Every structure is written in structure tokens, then in C-alpha cells.
Amino acid sequence: MASSSSSCHVTDIKHDVFISFRGTDVRKGLLSHLKKELRRRQIHTYVDERLDKGDEISSSLLRAIEGSQILLVIFSKDYASSKWCLEELVKMIECMERNEQIVVPVFFNVNPSHLRYQCGDYGDALAKHEGKFKENMIKIQSWRSALEKASNLKGFHYPANFEDESDLIDEIVKDIRQKLNKFYPCESNGLVGIDKKVEQIQSLLISGSSEVLFLGIWGMGGIGKTTIAQAIYDKYSRHDEYDGCCFLNVREGFEQHGLSLLREKLLCDLFEGEGLRTSGISKARFFSSAGRRMGGRKVLVVLDDVTTSEQIKYLVGEPIYFGQGSRVIITSRDQDVLTSGGVHQIYEVKEMCPKDSLKLFNLHAFKESQLKMGYEKLSEEVVKIAQGNPLALTVLGSDFHSRSIDTWECALSKIKKYPNEKIQSVLRFSYDGLHEVEKKAFLDIAFFFKDDDKDYVIRQLDAWGFYGVCGIEVLQRKALLTILSDNRIQMHELIRKMGCEIVRQESIESPGRRSRLRDSEDIHDILRYNLGTDKVEAMQIDVNQMTDLRLKVDTFKSMPRLRFLKIYHPLHAELSMSSRAPVWSPDKHVALLLSGYEELMSVASEIHIKFLHYLLFDGCSGPKEISVTSKEIRQPNITRPRMEIIMNSSIGHLSSLECSAVDVQQFKNLPNELLCLRSTYYLKLSNSNGQNTKKLKLHILFDGLRYYQLIPFSKLCNPVAAPLNISALSWCREFIVGEKESLADLLKALPFETKYTTNLFVSEHF
């Protein structure tokens, strides 16, 4: 019904509606009822409540007019007698003409012709103003012009077109809601890329369905859950189909006021305070009856940032508590919270695509969607760091706004090493909610296992008592990591950096007192100057970054709690050592992977390794031949995970080694030093490529078999290729051969005195 000029986006809009009025005419009647209805419909309205406004209009009031999308003017009998009201009107007409803001006139007991021709009460009022402002007729003329322009706008005429004030208010609110719904396409508010997500959620809400639906919105911190929920709420709350609407920030409200007050606010908003009095008895009666009456109301509720399922159950209970067609939208970082809270469907918010990411960043960095010339590469680097996280793109874009290229380059180098605090504070909330064991698992993955196979990581975490299966599932459901289709663990770069920053905060000035290390400069200084402490648990060394470093046996003695050592050289192989407990104790289980350097082999030889989880010695014909398998050896009597081993003569110094698995395909010869493994009770030999084993000197191995309790041979060709001392098998309790042909050759040479060999059989799949 009422309309005005076309609208467009206005910078810094803070209010939906600004109301200009003459207090003595409408404050206690029309205005009070209009404000209540606008508030009930979640329409943010600016009303100047001051009774004594003074002579001059305040700058704050002018800013409020500029910051309002719709400018509502209630022209009443004495409106023109107020100089203040006339100044407001002049400003509103100016905003309409310059900014294309909407002006909606309400002619309340006033004929529009009185404004147009300045007659009647309006003519009398202007005549009095002329007597006071004889020396400022320009101001009088601006008032007359504003009144004339306003009189020509389409608006609401009361009582000509309405039976009572209630009908008038309903039509005003309906018109305002329709106008607001046409405003702000999502991207015009800086909400780039949100339209498609809103559409996807709308399809899940099943508009028109009479079912009560609980919908969850789930994702990592800063991914846009609240923004999407707010967009959905703004769109639906302004429709007439819901009897009540409420948007609650649960985490913030819970921390400040507790759940009881949150529930009171929820009920007050949904019932618009119906029946609520100031007395305690009436208030108690209202809240006791509200729950019972809720079943007959169709409502829209958004619970934002929920952290526990108990919060959901306390605030909204079960779907049966609401009327048909009600919708409850709940956002959370924890998928378990949503499922435990009775959520029917969960929408996962994904990262923004590169195109939208760059656009959002540009809007904040340059205040426009296009790239600024000269900043193209720098902008792309920042966007790469954010990895599609809207919060990061917004914060970083604002930080880089109005800075020179030199400052950009400096700031970019800084955030690569030291993450932005605003972003970290948002992300860290998910970490703080983890159990201590889950925190350790998260930090290990963030430092050492990103992009690794999930099953491999689970085995590592289990070895350290971190409950890998449970831990990874919790981290996944809290949106701290994801599992790709190929079973690899993926972690958002911002979350990984958060983990690194958490560890850095353990000791900012002394890296040797941190639990985990991976920075090459820090590790170089720690190892070179012996700065390690008992705080160090795990370390990743990039050998390529430390070419001048020489490791010695006592290098790690100052780090007795070291349980994982990963040494990487891009030209050789990846190396890692892990243990359930301190590395240097001879009674503990250790896993070690070393390659390429005599110093490292020497260190390994001197360590009293009892259980070998991972060992790689460079005894191959070339770097390309190095290989490690990550498949577990599954034997009923062997519960510890075993890994394949490639070795050279240094293996002989590992006198405490109890078990091992060897792939012989890579070796020119088995080392004579295998005879020194007097503690080894388990040995697996395999030849996956069917290599001719005549050159492997297997007699060296058989000469020492007296020390082995379990010996599986898998796919070995001609295992008895040299004179053997088969009598050594007398101490072997179980001997497994992979093929019948190998077994036949072996049986020809077996003596009768192998009385302790209790099991001798063929295994097709070992």
C-alpha cells in the first residue's frame, strides 16, 4: 500500500526503522502500540524518547536517520509546531534524495493537503516560526519544501482508510516488513556466497510442512554458522506465518546470565510478554503456563552457539512441546551436541570457494569486490592462509585495509608465523572443550600427522595411550579435522596453526621447554647446543634444513620423555621414531626410523631398543629402493603392531630387540650381524617381488635361529640356498612358510632333533 522511492544499500545501516513523531500527540497511544508490534516482529526501531529535546537537533540523531533503512514520519496535528520535528523531516527528505532511503508518511488525523499547501494547523505553525526566524528565512523555506515533498509520497491515511488504530498499525508493520524483505541481498551486506547455503537450508526446513522440525547447523569456528542462521531468521521472522520468534546466543547468554534467564527470555519473546506483570506472582504464573500454551503456537526459534545437549533440552525440550509447523534451528561446533539434543537433520557448513573467498577479502581490504592493482599476489596469499574461513577473511581483510604494499608484505610474514589473535580466540574454544587425552591427540595430529592415513595415526595414538579411534572421532565431530575419501586425515590450516600456537605458548622464549617441536631453527639450536628438556615429547626434524648438524648418542639424553622422533630428508625417506614411554629406558618399547647418515645409525645402535615399531636403515642399493609398509602383522599371540624393516649391519647392535619384520626384496645381502639379535623372539621374512634369494646368505640367518620363537617365511623362493646349520631350529616353537614349494625344500633338510618346533605349517595369507 505505502511505497516510496526505490532502495539500495546504504553504508553503515544500523536500524531498520527511524520514527519521527510529535510526542504530545502520539507518544502514549499510537506510538506505544506501534513500537510493541515492531519489536514483536524483530524489527529494530530507533525512537528518540527524550521529552526535552532542546533547541538544536543533535548530531547523534542525524546519524540515526542516516543509519536507518526506512524513515517513518507520523504527521499529527501539532507535528509542524516542533522545530525539532521539522529539522528531522528535512534530514529524512535529504536522505531519501541522496541515499535513496525510503520515507513512509503516516497522516494521522491530518489531511495531506494541509502539508502540501501549508494551511490549517500546519499553516498556523509555520506562521509562528516565521515570526521567530525572520532573519533565517532559508530555514523556513527548507521546512516548507520538505513538507510539500512529503505530502506527495504515498502513505497511510487515518482515519480515512482504517476503521481503528489497530488496523492502521497492522498495515504499517506489514508494509515495513515487505520493504525490508526486499533489502540487502546477502552479498550487498558483505555476506558473500551465503545465498546458496541459505537456499540449501531452506530446502531442509520443508516450508509448508506441518511437522515440528529441529535443524542443526554444524561446522568449525568462524565458518559462518551464526551468519547463516541469522540470515534464515531475518528472512522467516518477518513473515506472518509464525506466532512468535526468538533468536538466542546461548553460549554468551549462558555465561552471563545462566539457563534460567535464557529460558525466560525465550518465552517472553515467543509470547511477546503476554500476561506478564511486574509482580512476582504474575511472573511466576506466566512462566508456569507458557510451557503448556506453547503446544498451540507455531514458532521460529534459533539457538546459536550451543555447547551441550543439556542446553537444548532445557531451552526447547522435545518437538512435541511446540505447535505444528514450528522450526527450531540450532548451531554448534559439536556434532554430538546436536544428535544428543534430538536434532533431526544436520547441515554441515563448508569452506568458501576460492572465488568467493577472494571477493569477501577484497570487500574488507579494499571496500570493493574487485582486486586492487598491485595487490593481486599478496591478496591471493592471504586468501590461501584463510582457506575459505569467512571469519579469517573478514578479520585479515580489515587488518590489511589502507596499508601499503610494504606493510602488507611484512604483516603477511608475521601471520604466517604468529596467527591472528582474534581468529585464534574463536577457534580455540573448540580445543578448550576437549578432554586432556584428546588435546594431546589433537596436538600430535596438528604437528605430525596431517594428511597421514587414519589407520596409521590411530596405531600411533594407541601406542601412546591416547585412544586413537575415540580421539579421532571426537575431533572429527567437533569439526577440528575431517577424514577424506581415501582415509587420510585433513585439518584446516587455521586449526593446525592454532595447535602449533598452543604449543608455542607453553614456553615462548625457550623452545626446548615445549612438548612438541617442528620448527627447523628451534630444533637446530636445541640439538646443537643441547637445550632440550624433559618437557619435550615429540620432534620432527627436516634434515635438509640442518645440513651442518651432527647427531650423537647423548644428543637426546636431556629429553627423557621423548616418545616420537620423525626425521625427514626429501632425497631419501621419511623417518620416525615413536614409543609408548621415554625413549632411552631399556625396558620400554621404542619405534625408530632412520636413513642416510652414519651418525643416525650410530645413535640407533646405542639406544637400548626392545620393541621396534618402525626401523629403516639405509642398506639398499639406492634411495629409490627404500620402502616401508604400514600394514599390521596379525597373529593371535602377537598383540603389538609390527612394521617392516630394512636394515644394514648396524642392526646387529640392537641387542635388546625382541621382534621384527623384514622385507628381503631390497637387499643384496642379509647382514651377518643378524646373529647378534639374541633377544629377538619374533621374525617375519617376506619377498613381495619374488626376488631370487640365493644371494641373500640365508645361512647367516639360520645359524642364529635358536634364538627365535616364531619365524614366518612369506613367499621366499629357494629358502635353503646355502649350507645351513638346521639344528639351530631346535629352539624355534613355530615356523611358518608362505608356499608349499618352499616348505618341500625346507623339509628335506630338517633334522629330527627339532623337538621344540611345535607348529610347522603353510600360510597362504600371512
Side-chain angles (χ1 to χ4, degrees), residues 354 357-366 368-387 393 396-397 400 405 408-409 412 415:
S357 296
L358 188 58
K359 185 175 182 180
L360 178 60
F361 175 76
N362 291 338
L363 283 172
H364 290 276
F366 309 117
E368 58 185 42
S369 60
Q370 300 300 318
L371 271 172
K372 190 173 182 180
M373 188 174 297
Y375 289 82
E376 294 89 349
K377 290 185 178 180
L378 291 172
S379 296
E380 290 174 359
E381 281 195 59
V382 178
V383 169
K384 186 177 180 180
I385 291 173
Q387 281 194 348
L393 291 164
L396 295 177
F400 280 85
I405 290 182
W408 269 54
E409 292 175 344
L412 189 57
I415 63 174

Side-chain angles (χ1 to χ4, degrees), residues 455-456 458-460 462 613 629-635 638-644 661 682 684 766:
D455 296 333
Y456 161 66
I458 287 174
R459 288 195 296 271
Q460 291 283 34
D462 284 344
H613 178 64
T629 177
S630 60
K631 295 181 180 179
E632 287 190 20
I633 298 172
R634 302 184 183 277
Q635 274 290 321
I638 304 297
T639 58
R640 300 168 183 164
R642 309 290 185 258
M643 292 295 179
E644 214 162 84
Y682 172 87
K684 174 192 173 184
F766 180 73

Side-chain angles (χ1 to χ4, degrees), residues 202-203 205-209 236 241 327:
Q202 283 181 289
S203 66
L205 289 174
I206 320 174
S207 180
S209 171
Y236 281 92
E241 62 176 302
R327 297 290 182 264

